[in-house]
């Protein structure tokens, strides 16, 4: 999973007032792939997920069934996009995922993930912001997009969410779509960061908890400069962290891990 580089934080473009998505008028197939590809993915993913993972799912009632929607989640493993997709699909949404552009250039695989509505991301390139523009258009057309505000798998030694990047907040303020925070736990046991082979046995438990929309109303109409975007991002990250603390039944750190500070130290 990959995310685009962030636009300059010096931008002072005013944030438009949130535009309430017309959920009632949006087709339930908005943002979904062709039926053949959707069926194929479901036939492959769901049985494998059920076989190797015990589902401990909560909070599905917080996920709107129609309308543009941002899902903001913590990132623990390369396996969690697939596991979260199963959760979201069972709760009525097809998740659009941002994926490394290189995957789209692999013969066969590239065509498949494109058909499944994934958005390519060119990292460290002037093309990087194109993925945000595509995501914004998809959101306005009623898609559900799965974002990892951290931008990569957490490097926090205790696996709490790191400081987030501002792309999710920028899209939320620009489109007015709801941001549903989701925390999950267990994917790191199935495929730990850095591992090349999954640990299928013993069977793992995958805990998911979705919360109510993050309240970003205090940022409506404010210029989308760095401070506003960072504060909105911090609110989104805090909501995810609180949910993860509930799942883990542990106290979360007061300040999220910042890999830049860790590198400086």
């Amino acid at each position: 999973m990959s995310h685009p580089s962030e636009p300059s934080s010096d931008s002072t473009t005013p944030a438009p007032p949130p535009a309430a998505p017309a959920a009632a008028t949006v087709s339930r197939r908005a943002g979904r792939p062709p039926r053949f590809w959707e069926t194929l993915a479901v036939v492959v993913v769901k049985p494998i997920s059920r076989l190797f993972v015990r589902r401990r799912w909560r909070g599905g009632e917080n996920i709107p069934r129609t309308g543009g929607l941002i899902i903001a989640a913590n990132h623990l493993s390369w396996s969690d996009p697939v596991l979260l997709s199963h959760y979201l699909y069972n709760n009525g949404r097809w998740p659009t995922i941002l994926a490394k552009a290189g995957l789209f250039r692999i013969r066969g695989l590239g065509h498949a993930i494109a058909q499944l509505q994934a958005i390519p991301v060119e990292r460290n390139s002037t093309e990087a912001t194109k993925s945000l523009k595509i995501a914004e258009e998809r959101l306005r057309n009623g898609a559900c997009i799965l974002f990892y505000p951290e931008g990569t798998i957490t490097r926090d030694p205790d696996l709490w969410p790191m400081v987030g990047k501002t792309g999710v907040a920028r899209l939320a303020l620009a489109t007015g779509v709801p941001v549903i925070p989701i925390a999950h736990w267990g994917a790191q046991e199935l495929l730990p960061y850095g591992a090349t082979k999954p640990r299928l046995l013993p069977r793992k438990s995958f805990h998911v908890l979705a919360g109510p929309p993050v309240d970003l109303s205090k940022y409506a109409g404010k210029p989308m400069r760095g401070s506003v975007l960072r504060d909105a991002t911090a609110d989104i990250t805090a909501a995810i962290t609180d949910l993860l603390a509930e799942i883990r039944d542990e106290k979360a750190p007061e300040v999220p891990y910042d890999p830049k500070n860790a590198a400086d130290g």
Side-chain angles (χ1 to χ4, degrees):
M1 184 64 55
S2 177
H3 287 265
S5 303
E6 301 301 330
S8 170
S9 62
D10 294 331
S11 172
T12 58
T13 303
T25 62
V26 175
S27 166
R28 287 184 178 273
R29 289 209 58 78
R32 302 181 85 104
R35 291 185 186 276
F36 169 80
W37 288 97
E38 179 174 325
T39 302
L40 180 62
V42 171
V43 166
V44 172
V45 170
K46 290 185 75 170
I48 294 175
S49 175
R50 287 172 174 167
L51 180 62
F52 294 112
V53 173
R54 297 185 186 91
R55 295 179 294 173
R56 301 290 186 262
W57 294 352
R58 292 183 288 154
E61 68 278 3
N62 290 313
I63 300 175
R65 269 36 178 189
T66 59
L69 178 65
I70 292 173
I71 299 293
N74 59 314
H75 201 0
L76 296 172
S77 164
W78 296 122
S79 67
D80 61 56
V82 176
L83 299 177
L84 283 175
S85 293
H86 186 184
Y87 171 82
L88 292 168
Y89 182 84
N90 274 33
N91 282 286
R93 298 308 301 251
W94 180 269
T96 297
I97 297 174
L98 282 78
K100 292 180 180 179
L103 295 176
F104 290 77
R105 294 188 280 270
I106 299 175
R107 187 173 182 179
L109 176 63
H111 178 69
I113 60 178
Q115 290 295 320
L116 293 174
Q117 302 298 299
I119 298 174
V121 178
E122 294 279 3
R123 300 191 69 179
N124 303 318
S125 164
T126 55
E127 301 292 310
T129 56
K130 282 189 176 181
S131 59
L132 286 179
K133 294 179 180 178
I134 295 171
E136 181 175 344
E137 181 180 353
R138 298 271 188 94
L139 288 170
R140 294 187 186 280
N141 289 330
C144 168
I145 299 188
L146 171 61
F147 276 99
Y148 294 105
E150 299 163 272
T152 187
I153 293 173
T154 184
R155 303 300 194 267
D156 180 278
D158 295 317
L159 302 183
W160 293 100
M162 300 187 295
V163 170
K165 299 183 184 298
T166 59
V168 176
R170 182 180 292 274
L171 283 173
L173 296 177
T175 63
V177 304
V179 178
I180 300 296
I182 285 185
H184 62 88
W185 188 248
Q188 77 283 358
E189 296 177 357
L190 179 65
L191 184 65
Y193 174 67
T196 57
K197 295 182 180 179
R199 300 174 181 176
L200 301 179
L201 297 173
R203 195 177 181 208
K204 309 301 187 292
S205 293
F206 184 57
H207 299 262
V208 185
L209 178 57
V214 181
D215 183 6
L216 300 176
S217 59
K218 62 184 176 182
Y219 305 109
K222 292 186 176 181
M224 283 203 288
R225 56 169 55 98
S227 59
V228 170
L229 294 173
R230 286 191 295 270
D231 288 348
T233 300
D235 287 353
I236 295 170
T237 301
I240 299 170
T241 303
D242 288 346
L243 293 171
L244 185 58
E246 182 176 341
I247 291 175
R248 294 172 58 170
D249 193 23
E250 298 177 22
K251 180 177 173 55
E254 294 184 3
V255 179
Y257 181 83
D258 188 339
K260 293 181 179 179
N261 293 341
D264 292 341

